């Protein structure tokens, strides 16, 4: 059964930050008009009935051309909605449509959540384990120490993105054993009961023999942070001498092309029309569904940064398997994903996957497949 929840934006209710910012811009100039009628915005999320956010769901207002597609977090913002009572509908291939009646107030941002019931049988999840992850490149040492959980305190990229601090000192003051030292025109970091400044390194290079201004570095530019409170706990190559590192050590590691997920277009947007024209079939319309060929190993690499930080995750991929059991180019998309790096790993691996094709009426046919992947590298 599909569920939908709607409500006006009340104090304390959550509107996704990105969508709220867009809504503020959309409403800044006052309500728009649609045939002279005052309008508003609707912001919200579309999920499956198991709670996972759905990417690429189509959300629209019945009887109008107003529609939008959910983003990689399952969120959407639909501006220019006529005020009054409207019907909002969400659809996605593989799920039953859901709709909700919403009372829209002029110049307001309405928040809704729509839940879609799964209508196809998903395949057995592919388990991705990371026993053979090998760390290479400039961040290899950081990932190795992060995985082992050495004597340092680690702040990961996901923590930085989640907390979204204004500056580094605001972020680091939340770490146990760290306090801020106010001084003329700047703020410094001090470890435990020490009054001297720690050594600070950026990508393996010492920033200064004096006190470094770490607030000159954007937190959003960092892949991770290591903090070592004393003179003997830091890795040897970052210690210099006991006297110089006795006040603690901070290691900063920047983001780069080697750890930023690629941006790519969702290629499965046209699958609805292919299914409607019977050029491609869904799982419930075939006699035998397409399944992975167990005789040909499917290799999905575990993203090193996520393995090092002990992060599990889920991806549900969507694509067409052709009549010879290969994934058709230009049909790959994502139904849901817990992290962009998991998405990229699946996208790369599925390109060379081998399936046993679907059978309909005794003949192999093209089928749209929803294939789950579970990244679970830890006991």
């Amino acid at each position: 059964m599909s569920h939908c929840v709607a409500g006006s934006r009340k104090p304390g209710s959550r509107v996704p930050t990105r969508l709220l910012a867009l809504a503020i811009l959309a409403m800044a100039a006052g309500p728009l008009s649609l045939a002279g009628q005052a309008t508003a915005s609707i912001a919200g999320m579309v999920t499956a009935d198991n709670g996972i956010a759905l990417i690429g769901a189509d959300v629209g207002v019945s009887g109008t051309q107003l529609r939008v597609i959910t983003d990689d977090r399952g969120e959407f913002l639909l501006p220019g909605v006529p005020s009054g009572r409207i019907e909002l509908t969400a659809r996605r291939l593989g799920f039953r449509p859901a709709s909700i009646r919403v009372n829209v107030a002029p110049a307001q941002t309405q928040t809704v959540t729509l839940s879609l019931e799964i209508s196809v049988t998903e395949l057995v999840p592919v388990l991705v384990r990371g026993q053979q992850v090998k760390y290479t490149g400039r961040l290899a040492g950081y990932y190795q120490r992060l995985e082992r959980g050495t004597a340092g305190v680690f702040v990961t990229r996901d923590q930085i993105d989640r907390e979204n601090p204004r500056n580094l000192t605001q972020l680091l003051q939340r770490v146990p054993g760290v306090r801020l030292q106010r001084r003329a025109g700047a703020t410094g970091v001090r470890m435990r009961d020490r009054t001297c400044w720690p050594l600070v390194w950026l990508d393996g290079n010492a920033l200064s023999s004096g006190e470094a201004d770490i607030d000159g570095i954007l937190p959003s530019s960092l892949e991770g942070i290591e903090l070592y409170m004393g003179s003997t706990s830091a890795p040897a190559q970052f210690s210099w001498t006991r006297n110089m590192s006795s006040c603690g050590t901070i290691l900063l590691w920047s983001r780069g092309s080697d750890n930023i997920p690629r941006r790519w277009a969702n290629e499965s947007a046209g699958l609805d029309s292919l299914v409607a024209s019977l050029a491609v079939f869904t799982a419930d319309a075939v006699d035998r569904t397409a399944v992975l060929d167990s005789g040909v190993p499917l290799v999905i690499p575990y993203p090193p940064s996520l393995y090092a930080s002990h992060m599990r995750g889920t991806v549900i991929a969507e694509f067409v398997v052709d009549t010879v059991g290969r994934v058709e180019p230009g049909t790959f998309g994502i139904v849901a994903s817990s992290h962009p790096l998991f998405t990229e790993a699946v996208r790369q691996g599925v390109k060379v996957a081998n399936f046993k094709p679907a059978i309909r009426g005794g003949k192999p046919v093209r089928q749209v497949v929803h294939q789950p992947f579970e990244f679970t590298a830890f006991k």
Side-chain angles (χ1 to χ4, degrees):
M1 180 177 182
S2 301
H3 302 280
C4 304
V5 178
S8 59
R9 187 162 58 87
K10 301 176 181 178
S13 64
R14 179 184 179 274
V15 178
T17 303
R18 295 179 302 160
L19 302 182
L20 181 58
L22 290 174
I24 292 173
L25 291 174
M27 304 307 296
L32 304 174
S33 62
L34 186 65
Q37 185 177 8
T39 63
S41 297
I42 297 180
M45 175 178 287
V46 179
T47 70
D49 53 8
N50 60 6
I52 191 168
L54 294 180
I55 301 169
D58 185 298
V59 182
V61 178
S62 300
T64 76
Q65 298 297 314
L66 296 173
R67 60 186 295 270
V68 69
I69 303 297
T70 55
D71 64 12
D72 57 4
R73 298 183 183 182
E75 298 171 352
F76 67 90
L77 173 67
L78 189 60
V81 177
S83 60
R85 189 168 178 79
I86 58 97
E87 181 182 54
L88 192 70
T89 299
R91 303 175 183 275
R92 204 203 186 287
L93 185 64
F95 298 82
R96 291 185 174 85
S99 60
I100 184 175
R101 296 281 182 177
V102 183
N103 287 316
V104 180
Q108 297 292 318
T109 299
Q110 194 85 2
T111 61
V112 301
T113 299
L114 297 102
S115 177
L116 308 187
E117 183 181 352
I118 298 173
S119 62
V120 298
T121 302
E122 292 180 346
L123 300 178
V124 175
V126 174
L127 297 182
V128 182
R129 304 183 185 277
Q131 294 94 331
Q132 298 181 355
V133 170
K134 295 182 179 180
Y135 303 118
T136 59
R138 65 186 180 88
L139 295 172
Y142 164 65
Y143 290 149
Q144 289 167 357
R145 292 186 293 273
L146 177 61
E147 180 189 347
R148 292 196 302 263
T150 58
V153 177
F154 294 85
V155 181
T156 66
R157 175 182 185 150
D158 285 284
Q159 289 174 278
I160 295 170
D161 290 343
R162 185 169 58 250
E163 296 189 25
N164 192 27
R166 293 191 306 273
N167 50 50
L168 271 184
T169 52
Q170 182 190 47
L171 175 67
L172 297 182
Q173 70 176 336
R174 303 171 189 170
V175 176
V178 173
R179 63 183 178 83
L180 301 186
Q181 174 77 42
R182 308 289 179 182
R183 64 186 193 277
T187 302
V189 170
R190 299 292 181 267
M191 304 294 197
R192 293 201 173 122
D193 57 351
R194 292 169 173 81
T195 59
C196 49
W197 56 79
L199 287 174
V200 181
W201 301 71
L202 177 62
D203 292 331
N205 300 301
L207 290 186
S208 173
S209 58
E211 182 160 14
D213 179 15
I214 63 173
D215 279 342
I217 300 171
L218 289 175
S220 59
S221 70
L222 296 177
E223 174 70 12
I225 303 171
E226 301 175 62
L227 298 100
Y228 298 91
M229 303 298 174
S231 60
T232 61
S233 57
Q237 65 269 39
F238 301 111
S239 294
W240 278 5
T241 67
R242 181 180 296 272
N243 289 337
M244 296 188 71
S245 59
S246 62
C247 297
T249 303
I250 300 175
L251 307 182
L252 307 174
W253 301 100
S254 65
R255 304 181 186 187
S257 58
D258 54 348
N259 53 40
I260 295 179
R262 293 173 53 190
R263 301 293 299 177
W264 53 275
N266 199 330
E267 301 167 332
S268 65
L271 294 185
D272 296 76
S273 59
L274 292 177
V275 170
S277 66
L278 298 183
V280 172
F281 296 94
T282 55
D284 58 349
V286 298
D287 302 321
R288 190 190 75 188
T289 60
V291 294
L292 274 168
D293 186 345
S294 58
V296 182
L298 174 59
V299 179
I300 304 292
Y302 210 110
S305 62
L306 303 186
Y307 182 82
S309 57
H310 304 278
M311 183 178 294
R312 295 178 172 88
T314 300
V315 173
I316 302 176
E318 176 181 63
F319 46 82
V320 172
V321 172
D322 65 18
T323 56
V324 296
R326 301 306 299 268
V327 175
E328 288 192 9
T331 66
F332 181 85
I334 292 294
V335 177
S337 175
S338 59
H339 198 286
L341 287 174
F342 287 139
T343 297
E344 181 61 18
V346 169
R347 190 177 74 90
Q348 292 295 332
V350 161
K351 287 181 178 179
V352 294
N354 288 275
F355 285 76
K356 294 180 179 179
I359 301 296
R360 177 182 165 95
K363 297 180 179 180
V365 294
R366 301 160 71 201
Q367 183 204 321
V368 59
V369 168
H370 283 182
Q371 176 66 61
F373 295 82
E374 293 182 2
F375 289 78
T376 173
F378 316 103
K379 296 179 181 179

